[in-house]
Amino acid sequence: LPAAVLLKDTKLMDVKLGQLGTWLAMRDFTPGGILGAMRRGYDRYYNKYINVRKGGLGGISMLLAGYIVLSYAWSYSHVKHDRRRKYH
Amino acid sequence: MLSRLVLRAAPAALRALPPPVAVGVLHTTRPLHTTQQSLAPVPPLPEKGGEVRHGLIPEEFFQFMYPKTGVTGPYMLGTGLLLYILSKEIYVINHETAAAACILTVIIYGIKKFGANVAAFADKLNEEKVATALAMKNEAMQALQTAIEEEKKEQWRVEGRSYLFDAKRNNIAMLLEANYRERLMMVYSEVKKRLDYQVAMQNLKRQKEQDYMIQWVEKNVVQSITPQQQKESIAKCIMDLKALSKSAHAAV
């Protein structure tokens, strides 16, 4: 077995389900850490889908779809009144 | 000359000095500058972005589910989710649904029809930008290359400076020689002029003395001819003439 990698440094995909709670607790929740995480996420998405020679449609369409879903979620309490049945 | 000697000795003397003490001690444990500069050359952009299926779902999701559920797994998941959302009315079908359906139809039709053209156009724009940048880079490299060659040529030319100096030295030597000869000539002519003057003076004096003496002798001789002598000489002349005429008559 290779030398045990610290739980702190494992990626999310390699964390076992039981360790998820401790892993989440170990993450950096300071404002600087949150900003860093947002910056890293943005950089990953940008460099993978947009900053390429022949960028395709998927780059922005995924962002738009995410925006649609998010706005639907935020306006669900308003949309709820158009339901056909009250009890499901 | 002496300054050149000093300049030659200076570096050796400087090297002999002890090395200067470090200005400050760096309180770092991180090693600095261990690798080459990481900023250049910049790695080229990847050709294509991440694969996205149906424009919405990244390919990695399908790959993630393939070992457990095969090819149709994610589609079954999508169908199940859709039915769940519709039946529980988490997604409500209302007037907005109709509007969304129309808009999406038009958008998808537009993309399918004009997508390739727009992509080609955008690619062309990109190509032009990259081409201009590349042209600038090539030009700069070319200019630097020619500069290098020019420099090498200049260095070669420098080797010929010994000929240049020889020619200059010859020129100067010739100038000096010409000047020297000119002055020599001047000295000669001046001396000759003075000597000629002296000679002319002597000649003049001699001539004047001669003339004067001749005049004086003539004057005295003329004075010394007394009237008596004059008569006698005239009579002698007449007699001679007569004798001559006689002999001349006789000859005829």
Side-chain angles (χ1 to χ4, degrees):
Chain A
L1 273 175
V5 186
L6 288 172
L7 187 58
K8 190 160 74 91
D9 290 333
T10 53
K11 299 171 146 200
L12 178 58
M13 284 302 170
D14 298 332
V15 171
K16 308 262 186 283
L17 213 55
Q19 298 169 323
L20 198 59
T22 39
W23 186 87
L24 267 180
M26 282 171 130
R27 294 300 286 170
D28 189 2
F29 285 112
T30 65
I34 289 180
L35 271 176
M38 287 168 75
R39 161 61 48 177
R40 265 176 289 137
Y42 173 81
D43 280 345
R44 262 181 60 184
Y45 186 82
Y46 181 74
N47 286 326
K48 184 150 184 226
Y49 290 105
I50 302 185
N51 197 14
V52 292
R53 285 253 178 98
K54 291 162 70 79
L57 191 60
I60 36 166
S61 81
M62 279 198 289
L63 283 173
L64 285 175
Y67 169 70
I68 289 171
V69 167
L70 209 62
S71 71
Y72 184 82
W74 283 339
S75 64
Y76 183 66
S77 55
H78 178 79
V79 171
K80 233 174 11 178
H81 303 299
D82 291 336
R83 283 190 297 191
R84 287 170 179 274
R85 298 279 186 276
K86 197 166 149 198
Y87 299 105
H88 295 94
Chain B
M1 277 291 277
L2 286 176
S3 57
R4 243 179 286 160
L5 268 175
V6 169
L7 282 171
R8 233 182 259 267
L14 281 174
R15 244 177 269 135
L17 284 173
V21 183
V23 178
V25 181
L26 285 173
H27 291 285
T28 54
T29 49
R30 188 166 56 94
L32 299 169
H33 296 298
T34 44
T35 60
Q36 275 190 333
Q37 289 264 354
S38 61
L39 286 178
V42 177
L45 281 177
E47 265 300 315
K48 297 173 69 65
E51 277 286 321
V52 173
R53 218 190 269 204
H54 304 300
L56 281 179
I57 305 157
E59 192 65 32
E60 281 85 11
F61 185 66
F62 292 85
Q63 299 303 325
F64 176 67
M65 300 200 81
Y66 181 76
K68 293 288 194 298
T69 58
V71 178
T72 51
Y75 293 110
M76 296 316 301
L77 177 68
T79 314
L81 270 176
L82 194 63
L83 285 174
Y84 167 70
I85 283 176
L86 281 172
S87 82
K88 287 282 188 191
E89 278 201 307
I90 296 176
Y91 177 72
V92 180
I93 296 189
N94 51 6
H95 61 285
E96 283 175 20
T97 313
C102 299
I103 291 173
L104 276 176
T105 316
V106 169
I107 287 179
I108 290 177
Y109 175 73
I111 287 174
K112 284 276 190 275
K113 190 138 182 211
F114 303 114
N117 288 346
V118 170
F121 177 70
D123 283 342
K124 197 155 69 75
L125 287 179
N126 252 2
E127 270 308 300
E128 281 164 22
K129 273 194 232 170
V130 165
T132 44
L134 208 63
M136 264 169 47
K137 177 184 112 169
N138 282 346
E139 256 183 55
M141 273 172 55
Q142 203 59 30
L144 286 172
Q145 199 74 9
T146 45
I148 287 175
E149 272 155 35
E150 295 272 312
E151 183 62 34
K152 285 215 167 81
K153 202 148 158 215
E154 287 299 315
Q155 284 178 349
W156 168 79
R157 276 198 194 135
V158 157
E159 286 170 19
R161 62 185 165 189
S162 64
Y163 299 120
L164 191 71
F165 294 155
D166 276 344
K168 288 198 176 191
R169 237 176 273 139
N170 278 351
N171 273 1
I172 289 178
M174 244 189 286
L175 273 177
L176 286 174
E177 183 79 21
N179 210 357
Y180 173 70
R181 288 201 188 173
E182 223 179 274
R183 289 195 197 157
L184 213 58
M185 190 68 183
M186 192 157 71
V187 162
Y188 166 79
S189 58
E190 286 291 310
V191 166
K192 186 156 182 312
K193 270 200 299 195
R194 278 162 185 54
L195 289 176
D196 281 347
Y197 173 74
Q198 294 297 328
V199 162
M201 278 285 285
Q202 279 182 359
N203 282 352
L204 185 70
K205 199 158 165 209
R206 178 68 107 37
Q207 199 176 6
K208 284 285 178 251
E209 284 175 357
Q210 253 181 347
D211 286 345
Y212 184 71
M213 202 180 290
I214 290 174
Q215 258 185 350
W216 185 78
V217 165
E218 279 181 6
K219 196 166 74 175
N220 278 355
V221 162
V222 166
Q223 267 182 352
S224 73
I225 297 180
T226 60
Q228 175 65 21
Q229 264 180 326
Q230 208 168 359
K231 272 194 203 155
E232 273 183 24
S233 59
I234 287 175
K236 182 100 180 24
C237 288
I238 291 173
M239 269 180 45
D240 279 336
L241 277 167
K242 279 189 187 161
L244 272 169
S245 68
K246 271 196 196 139
S247 59
H249 273 297
V252 170

